[in-house]
Amino acid sequence: MHGVPAQAPVGRAAEKPLLRFITCGSVDDGKSTLIGRLLYDAGLAPDDLIEALEKDSKKHGTQGEALDFALLVDGLAAEREQGITIDVAYRYFATEKRKFIVADTPGHEQYTRNMATGASTAELAVLLIDARRGVLSQTRRHAVIVSMLGVRHVALAINKMDLVDYDEATFRRIEAEFRDFARHLRFLSIEAFPLVAKDGDNLVHQSAHMPWREGLPLLAYLESVEVDRGALVQPFRFPVQWVNRPSHDFRGFSGFVCGGNVRRGDIVRILPIGRDTTIARVVGGGGDLDCAVAGQSVTLTLAEEIDVSRGDMLASPASPAKVGDRLKARLLWLVREPLVCNKSYLLKLAARTVPAAVKSVTARVEIETGLAAPLTEEGETLAFNAIGEAEIELDQPIVCDRYIENRETGGFILIDRVTNETVAVGLVTEAEEAAKSASYLEASYSSMEGLPPPSVEPVPTRRTSFLKSLSWRPLGSLLTFAIVFGFTRDLALSLAITATEAVAKVGLYYLHERAWTRKGATAAENGAPPPDDAGL
């Protein structure tokens, strides 16, 4: 069943759980050093890598005769020469309890786009702060970005405690300041650690210099923290990346399961055309599978021959994705040239790319507070590294979800059509269904199948309801007059009763309309859709 956790496929059940996390924070807060020292102290760095580190430390190190653990992660020549992180460095390691993929990201403002790339797949953020400098603007910016991109757990690593004499009051002050700032950022948990990354204090082992610190060291926390596995219980989502046709006997659709699960025999909906069909086979790298769950790449075949292309989506018919050509989104602007409203960009979401234009920017996030505020100047948009709310119009409808519901099908990028540069990262907050576009697609599909086009039901309104009522009320009043006159043979009495009955009908109709109007308003306040009955 879609959206219900399926039993893990054979060969996956016994695997250790995987945690993807990111190290972020302002420049020179010790992100690369933390990862290098953690790997070294945990015995997770191979001997040949340690030998290379010893040589590199003498040539490029910044710690004198001691090992420069940042060099375990910073591999680019420019990074070693300048002593900074430029690109995202991914490292895989595993302990007895868990597997990890860590993205070590740069702290410089000009490389914020690389930091956002690392955060886009992370489940937890290790946010570093220099104990001497406290919470900086770049610290706040990175906190806002990881929250925006769906990271819900933060390990607040207050580093370089040796430079403030391991002072607990300094640690508590910085922790309180960050928690106060982050109270609007939707983090589910924030755990603070006082560290000296270069010396290994509170990384793998408890620090002898900070006995006032109670709780697990950082690695033990990473091994035990519980993160949300919501993708397994989300509605089924499968963006088609490739039509797999190796021979005339096989036609499948390859892609990545972005939510829920799928089995042979399941009914799925093809979007944007809205056609339902049945899954015939689920094919993995080693052959046919009983099912596929979120996080797997598979090929699906259908029971019917239906035209499905790259960029289409197979989804749960019980909870399908939205089809829209107007989006409300939160944007992170990545380039120095400011956003230009009504300029044509390319919007890429999952496997589909369509022309799009930002019609307006309605608000901008203030980095100092983490809250969105309306723009004050006419024509103002988004500048470099700014985050804001925008309304976007697409040339063609696209299939998507809200980002808070599904990160894979709710996140997109904007691309400059001239330079081919990625200019923004975007998250869908609301999609307006393109009813006309959907009807057009359904009509086109029906014509190809030789079927009549889908009918569109008129939407009832109170005006149309009243006009319809006029067609039967005079007839009802005439019938009432005829019945009363037939029994009484009294013209005056018959007219009086008929008039009273007509007035009563009008009054009851008015009260009926008022009652349904109030019911609709109450339902809207409670988040429920208003009633469809127009009060006939």
Side-chain angles (χ1 to χ4, degrees):
M1 295 177 62
H2 305 303
V4 177
Q7 183 178 357
V10 177
R12 290 169 63 98
E15 291 184 1
K16 299 176 185 178
L18 172 66
L19 176 67
R20 295 176 178 268
F21 71 97
I22 178 179
T23 58
C24 56
S26 190
V27 61
D28 290 333
D29 282 352
K31 298 177 289 297
S32 300
T33 301
L34 182 147
I35 297 301
R37 182 74 197 214
L38 186 147
L39 295 175
Y40 180 82
D41 284 358
L44 300 173
D47 292 340
D48 58 340
L49 197 60
I50 298 301
E51 292 178 6
L53 175 64
E54 292 173 351
K55 296 178 181 178
D56 292 337
S57 295
K58 294 177 182 178
K59 183 178 180 180
H60 301 290
T62 61
Q63 303 297 322
E65 296 298 322
L67 295 177
D68 187 350
F69 293 102
L71 298 177
L72 276 176
V73 184
D74 292 335
L76 297 178
E79 293 177 323
R80 296 187 170 206
E81 291 171 0
Q82 300 179 52
I84 62 172
T85 302
I86 297 175
D87 199 4
V88 182
Y90 291 95
R91 290 291 181 271
Y92 169 86
F93 64 97
T95 65
E96 293 182 356
K97 298 180 179 180
R98 203 168 205 166
K99 299 186 300 184
F100 301 91
I101 297 177
V102 55
D104 180 38
T105 63
H108 287 73
E109 288 189 19
Q110 68 190 89
Y111 302 126
T112 298
R113 61 190 302 137
N114 295 345
M115 177 268 166
T117 299
S120 64
T121 57
E123 300 163 305
L124 179 145
V126 178
L127 181 61
L128 279 90
I129 296 177
D130 188 328
R132 299 169 300 172
R133 300 186 294 172
V135 180
L136 304 175
S137 293
Q138 189 70 342
T139 311
R140 294 186 176 93
R141 179 176 287 107
H142 280 199
V144 171
I145 292 173
V146 296
S147 171
M148 167 183 167
L149 292 173
V151 177
R152 295 290 172 256
H153 303 273
V154 172
L156 187 65
I158 301 175
N159 193 24
K160 304 185 181 181
M161 289 295 296
D162 57 323
L163 301 181
V164 295
D165 298 325
Y166 307 100
D167 181 43
E168 181 181 3
T170 300
F171 169 76
R172 299 299 180 193
R173 175 180 56 80
I174 295 173
E175 178 187 8
E177 181 182 356
F178 181 81
R179 288 185 183 276
D180 181 64
F181 167 76
R183 66 184 186 278
H184 304 295
L185 296 185
R186 296 184 179 179
F187 293 133
L188 298 179
S189 69
I190 300 174
E191 189 72 23
F193 299 84
L195 305 176
V196 182
K198 68 181 182 64
D199 296 333
D201 290 57
N202 283 331
L203 287 182
V204 178
H205 308 290
Q206 295 282 13
S207 171
H209 297 102
M210 292 175 278
W212 44 265
R213 156 69 182 175
E214 296 180 356
L216 299 173
L218 180 61
L219 181 59
Y221 165 78
L222 295 175
E223 288 180 320
S224 60
V225 63
E226 293 292 334
V227 295
D228 183 24
R229 302 295 181 186
L232 294 176
V233 294
Q234 290 170 346
F236 175 62
R237 298 289 186 266
F238 186 81
V240 176
Q241 299 178 5
W242 178 45
V243 179
N244 188 348
R245 192 71 186 269
S247 68
H248 65 277
D249 294 325
F250 184 90
R251 185 170 183 262
F253 308 99
S254 301
F256 181 77
V257 182
C258 297
N261 63 82
V262 64
R263 298 176 180 273
R264 287 177 295 178
D266 279 355
I267 297 175
V268 296
R269 180 161 298 172
I270 304 169
L271 297 174
I273 64 174
R275 174 79 177 269
D276 289 357
T277 187
T278 303
I279 298 296
R281 296 172 62 187
V282 179
V283 185
D288 282 26
L289 303 174
D290 291 331
C291 71
V293 300
Q296 283 186 272
S297 294
V298 294
T299 297
L300 304 179
T301 67
L302 306 179
E304 304 170 84
E305 288 294 334
I306 301 176
D307 182 19
V308 179
S309 305
R310 172 179 166 84
D312 291 348
M313 184 184 294
L314 308 184
S316 166
S319 184
K322 295 286 187 181
V323 179
D325 58 6
R326 288 190 292 272
L327 306 178
K328 291 183 179 179
R330 175 164 284 194
L331 297 179
L332 167 60
W333 196 251
L334 301 175
V335 295
R336 296 197 178 276
E337 295 76 19
L339 184 153
V340 178
C341 288
N342 296 312
K343 176 181 176 179
S344 181
Y345 297 98
L346 292 177
L347 185 148
K348 185 177 188 304
L349 190 153
R352 185 162 175 78
T353 303
V354 299
V358 178
K359 305 306 293 183
S360 64
V361 178
T362 57
R364 182 176 57 206
V365 174
E366 301 294 340
I367 295 301
E368 295 302 316
T369 64
L371 300 174
L375 299 181
T376 57
E377 297 182 11
E378 186 177 354
E380 188 177 3
T381 60
L382 297 180
F384 181 49
N385 283 345
I387 301 170
E389 311 285 348
E391 296 181 353
I392 303 174
E393 287 191 4
L394 313 178
D395 285 8
Q396 304 168 22
I398 199 168
V399 184
C400 63
D401 291 289
R402 295 195 303 158
Y403 188 82
I404 61 173
E405 297 170 352
N406 191 305
R407 294 172 75 176
E408 300 289 342
T409 58
F412 62 87
I413 59 174
L414 289 180
I415 304 169
D416 189 289
R417 303 189 71 168
V418 176
T419 65
N420 208 35
E421 182 179 23
T422 300
V423 296
V425 171
L427 318 176
V428 176
T429 57
E430 185 179 335
E432 184 174 340
E433 294 189 34
K436 293 181 179 179
S437 300
S439 299
Y440 170 78
L441 288 168
E442 290 176 5
S444 300
Y445 182 84
S446 299
S447 65
M448 289 189 295
E449 294 290 314
L451 302 174
S455 59
V456 179
E457 294 292 335
V459 179
T461 65
R462 288 180 173 79
R463 181 182 178 185
T464 57
S465 302
F466 179 75
L467 293 176
K468 287 173 63 177
S469 70
L470 291 179
S471 65
W472 57 266
R473 280 185 182 157
L475 181 62
S477 297
L478 182 62
L479 183 61
T480 300
F481 174 81
I483 293 174
V484 174
F485 186 77
F487 279 101
T488 63
R489 297 296 178 179
D490 188 329
L491 180 61
L493 179 62
S494 300
L495 289 173
I497 292 176
T498 301
T500 302
E501 184 258 359
V503 171
K505 279 184 177 180
V506 171
L508 289 173
Y509 178 79
Y510 173 78
L511 293 175
H512 178 272
E513 289 291 281
R514 292 285 295 174
W516 276 95
T517 300
R518 291 182 178 180
K519 182 176 180 181
T522 303
E525 290 176 359
N526 296 331
D532 294 329
D533 194 330
L536 297 181

